[in-house]
Amino acid sequence: ISVIADVVKEIADEVRLFSKCYDLVLTSGGLGPTHDDVTMAGIAAAFGEELSYSAACAKLLGLLGPNDPNPLVKMAMVRRCGSVVVIDGGVRYKLVLQDCTTECKFKSGSQKS
């Protein structure tokens, strides 16, 4: 377990380090629509990627499209690789997972140790 600040570089460094050591890395927090919610940007930066708009996430959020003025559009931005999987927990929660295991390569060329 690691607790870090909402800083893109810190998140990227920690995700990069953990992804070398573990098969599965879970993050929480920093995923909302406000300026300080930078977790997704940090995860993308860890792998040298940019974020892109996910129609699957947008549908969950009730968005009209990538140009919707709703600040929740930020929450529909995910890594470009892989597929988005939505697990519907009913009224209480919806869990969004992104499987990038086969389509994303670690850009630095590092190997898992």
Side-chain angles (χ1 to χ4, degrees):
I1 295 175
S2 178
V3 179
I4 55 176
D6 285 326
V7 176
V8 173
K9 184 177 179 345
E10 284 186 42
I11 295 166
D13 290 347
E14 201 74 357
V15 167
R16 189 177 307 111
L17 174 67
F18 275 45
S19 69
K20 291 179 190 178
C21 300
Y22 304 101
D23 292 330
L24 179 65
V25 178
L26 300 175
T27 62
S28 68
L31 299 170
T34 61
H35 72 282
D36 60 337
D37 293 317
V38 296
T39 299
M40 289 303 291
I43 294 169
F47 299 100
E49 299 170 3
E50 295 180 9
L51 297 176
S52 66
Y53 181 81
S54 163
C57 290
K59 182 177 178 184
L60 273 178
L61 297 165
L63 300 173
L64 301 175
N67 297 319
D68 190 318
N70 189 325
L72 295 179
V73 164
K74 181 177 179 182
M75 294 172 62
M77 302 299 288
V78 298
R79 291 173 60 197
R80 289 188 178 188
C81 68
S83 58
V84 173
V85 178
V86 177
I87 300 171
D88 190 340
V91 177
R92 299 208 44 112
Y93 72 90
K94 294 193 185 334
L95 178 62
V96 178
L97 304 173
Q98 190 172 20
D99 179 6
C100 294
T101 55
T102 57
E103 296 177 28
C104 287
K105 303 293 182 222
F106 195 65
K107 292 237 175 181
S108 72
S110 300
Q111 300 290 324
K112 279 190 174 187
S113 49

